[in-house]
Amino acid sequence: MYLEKIDSPSDLKNFSQKELSALSSELRQKIISVVGSNGGHLASNLGAVELTVALHRVFQTPKDAIVWDVSHQCYAHKLLTGRFSGFETIRQKDGLSGFTNIDESEHDFFTSGHASTSISSALGLLTAWERQKHDGKVVAVIGDGALTGGLAFEGLEHAGQLSKNLIVILNDNQMSIDHNTGSVSRYLSRLTVTARYQSFRYKIDRLVDKIPYINKPLEKMIFRFKRSLKGLMLTNNLFVDLGFEYVGPLNGHNEHELEMVLKKVRKLHRPVVVHVVTKKGKGYLPAEETPENFHGVGPFDVQEGNFKKPGSLTFTDSFSSAVIGLGRKNEKIVAITAAMAQGTGLSKFEKKFPGRFFDVGIAEEHAVTFAGGLARGGMIPVCCIYSTFIQRSVDQIIHDISLQKVHSIFVMDRAGAVPGDGATHQGIFDIALFRPVPNAVIMSPVSDVDLHLCLRWAVNGADSAVFIRIPKLACPPELDAFRQPVTVGKGIFVSSRDFANLSDEEYVKRSEKKLVVTTGGMFSEVKDASLKYIEEGGLADIFVMRFIKPFDENYFKELVNAYSEVIFVEDGVKTGGISEYLETLLLKIGFNNTKILAFDEKFYSHGTRQDVLKEAGLDTESIYSALKH
């Protein structure tokens, strides 16, 4: 194996072209094998193998910097930068991250996980290096999907203005997580047809390089001719208009051609965009045929390409079913997502109502403001965005939704603990971010039935913005309490008589009564901990905060009088969360026997959901311990 011989990128310098081809095959097989076992990002990584090899052959990290946008395509980079021996631990607790991580390697310049950031980060790094006389090159690798994010264009415009010698590699695979939409994708497709210019250019370059003595002067002489030819064949090139040199499109799976071009680009002293065309899922037929299914995946059967199906209905499945049902009854309902149609379950809505579905690409800020415009025009937008990504649109929530007092619904998928993806993807900040916002309702459903009830109320009963948090989790078994109608501000009281099958006599007999107040996504852990406490002679009822905001404070004050202790369990950050607020509320009425279990003010690493909860002190054992002591 060639991979086992690589301790750092410098080891690649002595590889022959034949060996590099074999190395690329090894990289793919290793990535497929490990992702099949651990889950992770497959299609994007398989598409970037030759590009990664070429970058590390031409540039010398960490003297040079490679900045990966999103960085879900960095697996080959990890394998080539001394992390082969630990690669099988990727996305597991205490193992390698599935993204670049500054705490993991000097070859990782940023901890990344969100899209469209690479150009701005790389430009800042390059500017700092130039100020400090560091002569390293800085390369930003960004996918065409990430160009739908406004931040990418802000970075491009500033880089052209500064005229720094930034290198931007545009990895064009004609799709992001879901198929790219919009003018950027169509524009890049048009650029791709200019391959005849590139073919002509590199034939001339290779010919000139072979002429002894006069090759350098001749290169300068024909430079103006090539620029004129480029002007004819690449009219209206956006990147040229922004102040960049443009090179491409190149075959992203021809390592030799990539390497030749990058060596020339390295010598330029002005910003340049290198347009590389790749195929997502390259080398693994199931991923080539349906790359959207092999973006972020759980463990799967590598031989058959089959996924292990979840054992029960998930909250995402429940939302998908609920919004389709409501869509059938109300033609004003429209659905919006930001390049996550499949991940959010809205792809099924798209099939049912294609004219009422909008995938705006990786542009969460636009998605929110677009929803506000739809609402002002009389529609009822249901916008589903992962909790970690809706962080990007806080200003739009405040200015374009709340201030406008528009009726709109935002479903925040992956709220709370998120397995596998780590610090950049934990959905723990949304409660603290949006609870202070005026005219905002925040709901936290506990089950499939409850989610249907909450979404129905949000569509038919609300008149302002409604935020609904749902976890990446299977829905718990239904209880009768979950079916109670929605009353604004009221939560769901679940007596231990119901979930622990206690008789009225047994219930009254137990003197040490405690109340666990929880967000919906933590119900399963709370119930299991409460059952264990009840089995040992205690008693614990559960109050689910169906409404995080508004919250019926008077009802809650009366409820807690029957209990000796209240324990809050919140799958959000403690600072600024609902639990802190309610604890203060109880202190004001003289009730001071409380505990709060919530996420601390820190970033939580990757692992399973249980790993993340255990680190935060929110797993079943931690909740049981809080009940017992």
Side-chain angles (χ1 to χ4, degrees):
M1 283 184 65
Y2 293 107
L3 265 177
E4 293 178 349
K5 301 174 184 177
I6 298 175
D7 294 319
S8 73
S10 61
D11 295 331
L12 290 171
K13 306 298 183 184
N14 298 322
F15 276 53
S16 67
Q17 282 300 316
K18 183 177 180 180
E19 290 171 327
L20 289 173
S21 178
L23 173 64
S24 294
S25 296
E26 279 188 26
L27 284 165
R28 283 196 170 88
Q29 291 307 310
K30 187 67 175 178
I31 291 169
I32 292 167
S33 172
V34 171
V35 175
S37 175
N38 294 6
H41 292 90
L42 185 66
S44 54
N45 278 290
L46 295 181
V49 168
E50 287 84 4
L51 174 59
T52 305
V53 172
L55 284 168
H56 279 298
R57 287 262 291 177
V58 174
F59 299 97
Q60 303 172 29
T61 59
K63 180 185 176 184
D64 299 321
I66 301 173
V67 181
W68 302 91
D69 203 275
V70 187
S71 80
H72 59 202
Q73 76 286 53
C74 71
Y75 291 7
H77 163 76
K78 287 177 182 278
L79 286 164
L80 297 176
T81 52
R83 286 170 272 186
F84 171 79
S85 62
F87 191 68
E88 293 188 1
T89 70
I90 199 164
R91 292 166 54 89
Q92 297 180 339
K93 181 173 172 55
D94 300 324
L96 295 180
S97 167
F99 300 90
T100 54
N101 189 323
I102 57 176
D103 296 324
E104 194 174 283
S105 171
E106 63 180 350
H107 299 280
D108 293 359
F109 282 82
F110 296 92
T111 296
S112 184
H114 290 187
S116 312
T117 65
S118 63
I119 296 172
S120 297
S121 295
L123 181 61
L125 179 64
L126 177 61
T127 304
W129 277 5
E130 288 184 352
R131 294 284 297 174
Q132 298 171 70
K133 310 302 181 185
H134 178 81
D135 61 352
K137 302 292 286 189
V138 179
V139 183
V141 184
I142 185 168
D144 55 313
L147 280 183
T148 58
L151 179 59
F153 282 97
E154 293 173 22
L156 282 169
E157 184 175 16
H158 194 205
Q161 174 190 332
L162 292 180
S163 197
K164 301 291 185 184
N165 59 339
L166 178 69
I167 300 169
V168 176
I169 308 292
L170 173 56
N171 180 16
D172 178 7
N173 49 47
Q174 283 112 50
M175 64 169 294
S176 52
I177 295 168
D178 286 310
H179 290 289
N180 282 337
T181 57
S183 57
V184 172
S185 180
R186 292 193 294 272
Y187 174 76
L188 291 176
S189 296
R190 289 199 304 272
L191 280 183
T192 303
V193 303
T194 63
R196 64 186 188 279
Y197 162 75
Q198 295 304 325
S199 176
F200 175 84
R201 169 183 173 167
Y202 292 112
K203 284 178 182 177
I204 293 293
D205 285 347
R206 284 194 290 270
L207 178 63
V208 170
D209 283 340
K210 293 177 182 178
I211 303 175
Y213 304 114
I214 65 167
N215 56 344
K216 296 299 181 184
L218 188 58
E219 283 181 358
K220 294 180 180 180
M221 289 175 61
I222 65 173
F223 175 74
R224 290 182 181 178
F225 170 71
K226 291 196 297 183
R227 285 297 299 268
S228 299
L229 182 63
K230 181 187 291 188
L232 289 172
M233 303 186 75
L234 296 179
T235 56
N236 300 319
N237 186 307
L238 170 66
F239 305 110
V240 173
D241 291 343
L242 288 173
F244 283 78
E245 282 289 331
Y246 170 82
V247 179
L250 307 175
N251 179 356
H253 301 297
N254 186 330
E255 193 282 333
H256 180 59
E257 181 185 40
L258 289 172
E259 194 174 322
M260 285 181 58
V261 173
L262 291 174
K263 284 178 180 177
K264 293 178 180 294
V265 165
R266 184 185 174 92
K267 298 175 184 177
L268 293 178
H269 296 286
R270 55 173 300 160
V272 57
V273 168
V274 182
H275 182 183
V276 175
V277 178
T278 61
K279 184 176 183 62
K280 266 197 170 184
K282 175 74 172 176
Y284 183 57
L285 188 59
E288 287 188 16
E289 292 178 340
T290 56
E292 65 277 8
N293 292 338
F294 285 87
H295 174 68
V297 298
F300 65 95
D301 184 329
V302 171
Q303 296 300 319
E304 301 294 330
N306 295 329
F307 295 101
K308 298 175 182 178
K309 295 182 179 180
S312 55
L313 184 78
T314 67
F315 278 91
T316 301
D317 295 332
S318 174
F319 162 67
S320 177
S321 171
V323 73
I324 288 172
L326 290 166
R328 287 195 183 100
K329 298 175 182 178
N330 190 337
E331 292 186 355
K332 289 186 176 182
I333 293 175
V334 292
I336 306 166
T337 189
M340 288 286 185
Q342 191 160 358
T344 60
L346 284 176
S347 56
K348 295 179 181 178
F349 185 96
E350 178 186 15
K351 291 177 182 177
K352 295 284 186 182
F353 315 106
R356 291 154 56 191
F357 170 81
F358 303 94
D359 184 345
V360 303
I362 302 175
E364 290 83 5
E365 301 95 323
H366 167 65
V368 170
T369 301
F370 177 59
L374 284 165
R376 178 60 71 197
M379 304 302 286
I380 304 174
V382 179
C383 182
C384 190
I385 298 174
Y386 290 3
S387 171
T388 183
F389 296 139
I390 205 168
Q391 294 168 182
R392 316 190 91 171
S393 55
V394 172
D395 179 62
Q396 286 70 34
I397 294 292
I398 296 171
H399 183 272
D400 303 324
I401 299 296
S402 174
L403 184 63
Q404 311 305 325
K405 300 178 182 178
V406 290
H407 177 208
S408 47
I409 298 141
F410 298 91
V411 178
M412 299 182 293
D413 201 337
R414 273 65 167 173
V418 176
D421 288 331
T424 57
H425 281 60
Q426 302 300 344
I428 63 177
F429 298 107
D430 53 78
I431 295 174
L433 285 172
F434 299 128
R435 207 172 64 80
V437 177
N439 305 320
V441 174
I442 304 175
M443 305 184 78
S444 180
V446 66
S447 73
D448 170 44
V449 167
D450 189 30
L451 176 52
H452 279 247
L453 291 170
C454 288
L455 190 61
R456 188 185 309 157
W457 176 85
V459 168
N460 299 320
D463 59 3
S464 63
V466 181
F467 297 84
I468 301 176
R469 308 178 76 241
I470 60 173
K472 185 175 183 175
L473 192 65
C475 296
E478 296 293 344
L479 297 173
D480 288 340
F482 300 162
R483 303 178 187 278
Q484 59 185 272
V486 175
T487 303
V488 178
K490 284 281 198 312
I492 298 173
F493 177 74
V494 186
S495 170
S496 52
R497 295 183 185 93
D498 299 326
F499 69 86
N501 296 317
L502 287 180
S503 65
D504 288 347
E505 182 182 2
E506 184 67 22
Y507 183 86
V508 172
K509 188 194 309 182
R510 302 198 181 192
S511 57
E512 190 71 12
K513 293 183 173 67
K514 298 187 178 183
L515 180 68
V516 186
V517 180
T518 183
T519 46
M522 291 301 301
F523 179 79
S524 294
E525 286 79 12
V526 166
K527 185 186 78 168
D528 290 345
S530 298
L531 283 170
K532 189 173 181 180
Y533 180 66
I534 292 167
E535 287 170 1
E536 296 185 357
L539 188 142
D541 292 333
I542 302 172
F543 181 76
V544 181
M545 292 182 280
R546 177 185 260 171
F547 281 88
I548 292 174
K549 179 188 177 183
F551 190 89
D552 191 326
E553 297 178 5
N554 292 329
Y555 169 78
F556 185 65
K557 290 174 187 175
E558 293 177 8
L559 177 66
V560 299
N561 286 330
Y563 298 93
S564 60
E565 184 178 26
V566 173
I567 297 165
F568 296 98
V569 179
E570 179 177 353
D571 58 349
V573 68
K574 178 181 177 181
T575 305
I578 182 64
S579 299
E580 272 195 340
Y581 173 80
L582 293 178
E583 183 182 54
T584 302
L585 178 72
L586 294 183
L587 285 172
K588 289 179 180 178
I589 63 171
F591 191 105
N592 57 11
N593 196 10
T594 60
K595 294 189 183 86
I596 295 178
L597 305 184
F599 286 96
D600 289 329
E601 198 174 306
K602 59 177 280 190
F603 293 108
Y604 288 84
S605 189
H606 48 277
T608 65
R609 172 182 165 86
Q610 289 308 307
D611 290 333
V612 176
L613 291 179
K614 186 175 181 179
E615 183 182 349
L618 285 166
D619 60 314
T620 297
E621 284 302 314
S622 298
I623 299 168
Y624 165 70
S625 179
L627 279 165
K628 189 175 181 180
H629 300 102

